[in-house]
Amino acid sequence: MHILDNYLSPSTCVTLYTATVVILRRATIKIKNEVSKKKLPLLGVCSAFSFLIMMFNVPLPGGTTGHAIGGTIIAILIGPYAATVALTVVLTIQAFLFGDGGILALGANVFNMAIVIPFVGYYLFNKIKGDNHKRNYLAAFIAAYVAANISALVTAVELGLQPLLFKSASGLPTYFPYSLKITIPSMVIPHLLFAGALEGIITAGVYIFVKKTSPDIIYEGDNKDKEIRTSPLYGLLLSMILLSPLGLLASGSVWGEWSSEEINKLIGYIPNGIKNGFQHSALLPDYTISKLSEPISYVISAILGVIIVIIATKFINKGILIYKNRQQNGMDV
């Protein structure tokens, strides 16, 4: 679901960057009150979880692949605004360090994955959940399933509008070449049948895991300053790092995340906007390291990504703590 650079027109990128910045600004304000001191360490853990879960590609019908995102479970655990910030950190690091998603398209990717999924998933979960445990597990599944599909639909619309709005003098698409008639079924059907269910299963599974191992995260209680038990979550992250090479078993590109060469094979030419557009050379493209095997590169990339994500969220946590301390001391914030 990561849109690459030059797939969207500059005006589309600017529009989505603007919308994203406005929402992120509100998220950074709301997160200060949304996340308690007790839950602050979860910002890094949740970001690391999302980073890792996106490394596990699974095969989908049609020779393509997909992956879960984790936006709904993060929103359930720490709130939608905090989830938006956590996922934005992940998507930014993926784009700049690993070339996973474009730099110009980062605003679109943040909008599609870090905003749409957490808010849709969070509000749907709260609408469905009840006092019954099984109902809550089902609510987590449904919320994540629906959120993933809506995100896929939004992405499909952004891509499918490009050939309708932007064409060369010869009438050929300047950026992404497929129209809405192709992008919507190509993106939505695999999510309806497989990727959405995968997101739902992982969300419900992690919700059950957290409920059994660290229930204070879900049932925060009155003592919000008491530390929660995070060791099971770090154990989960370590397991995911060690198992990350399994994400290489799925062969084939993700639909809509093709290289220029692959586009040329698909449609017989490379649209001018893609051929002559912005190029970014990531330090570790596609989570690979020169002269190292793919599995070892993948594990090292997983470790590196987790470390960077946690360091980045530490700075955010520090800012939130300063705000809370000033608020507690009655200072003007």
Side-chain angles (χ1 to χ4, degrees):
M1 207 180 290
H2 293 72
I3 297 177
L4 305 182
D5 274 333
N6 310 314
Y7 275 30
L8 302 177
S9 70
S11 58
T12 307
C13 291
V14 168
T15 301
L16 290 167
Y17 253 114
T18 304
T20 296
V21 167
V22 170
I23 296 170
L24 277 177
R25 183 180 180 278
R26 179 165 176 78
T28 55
I29 295 171
K30 296 286 287 186
I31 192 177
K32 295 168 185 171
N33 295 319
E34 184 181 70
V35 181
S36 64
K37 287 182 180 178
K38 179 180 173 180
K39 283 194 172 182
L40 269 183
L42 292 177
L43 193 65
V45 175
C46 288
S47 299
F49 170 78
S50 178
F51 177 85
L52 290 171
I53 200 67
M54 285 196 249
M55 294 184 74
F56 285 84
N57 292 306
V58 295
L60 296 176
T64 184
T65 64
H67 56 73
I69 295 167
T72 296
I73 184 61
I74 296 175
I76 292 171
L77 297 179
I78 59 176
Y81 290 103
T84 290
V85 173
L87 286 168
T88 298
V89 170
V90 171
L91 293 170
T92 302
I93 290 168
Q94 286 178 331
F96 280 91
L97 185 57
F98 300 103
D100 195 2
I103 305 298
L104 299 179
L106 182 58
N109 288 325
V110 168
F111 185 85
N112 301 340
M113 288 184 274
I115 294 173
V116 170
I117 291 180
F119 279 94
V120 172
Y122 178 79
Y123 286 110
L124 197 53
F125 173 77
N126 281 289
K127 197 75 176 172
I128 300 173
K129 74 172 185 177
D131 296 331
N132 185 297
H133 293 320
K134 289 183 180 177
R135 176 169 175 160
N136 291 345
Y137 302 153
L138 184 62
F141 174 87
I142 293 173
Y145 175 82
V146 174
N149 277 286
I150 291 179
S151 175
L153 176 62
V154 172
T155 304
V157 170
E158 291 166 0
L159 291 172
L161 286 175
Q162 300 307 304
L164 300 177
L165 299 175
F166 307 100
K167 293 181 180 178
S168 65
S170 58
L172 293 174
T174 308
Y175 302 101
F176 194 76
Y178 293 119
S179 68
L180 292 169
K181 287 183 179 177
I182 296 177
T183 58
I184 290 179
S186 297
M187 288 290 294
V188 174
I189 290 176
H191 280 80
L192 283 171
L193 297 179
F194 300 99
L198 174 68
E199 186 81 31
I201 291 169
I202 289 173
T203 300
V206 173
Y207 182 79
I208 294 170
F209 175 79
V210 172
K211 189 169 173 293
K212 291 186 181 300
T213 59
S214 303
D216 282 351
I217 295 174
I218 296 173
Y219 307 110
E220 192 168 22
D222 296 329
N223 189 357
K224 294 189 175 183
D225 292 329
K226 182 184 175 183
E227 288 189 5
I228 58 176
R229 188 165 170 256
T230 55
S231 55
L233 302 180
Y234 282 106
L236 176 64
L237 294 182
L238 180 60
S239 301
M240 292 173 71
I241 289 172
L242 296 176
L243 294 173
S244 61
L246 292 176
L248 294 165
L249 295 178
S251 60
S253 301
V254 178
W255 195 92
E257 297 183 25
W258 307 295
S259 65
S260 297
E261 292 73 21
E262 288 173 315
I263 289 180
N264 195 22
K265 286 182 182 177
L266 287 169
I267 61 174
Y269 68 96
I270 304 174
N272 287 334
I274 295 176
K275 184 163 54 178
N276 304 315
F278 172 77
Q279 300 296 327
H280 165 65
S281 298
L283 186 60
L284 304 174
D286 297 326
Y287 308 94
T288 58
I289 300 173
S290 177
K291 298 181 181 177
L292 291 181
S293 68
E294 276 192 321
I296 293 176
S297 295
Y298 222 56
V299 172
I300 294 175
S301 295
I303 295 171
L304 191 61
V306 167
I307 291 172
I308 295 173
V309 161
I310 289 179
I311 289 174
T313 52
K314 287 276 186 191
F315 283 103
I316 297 172
N317 289 350
K318 194 171 182 179
I320 295 173
L321 279 174
I322 291 172
Y323 170 86
K324 285 183 179 296
N325 289 334
R326 293 184 66 179
Q327 194 178 43
Q328 205 169 25
N329 294 329
M331 297 175 68
D332 183 19
V333 290

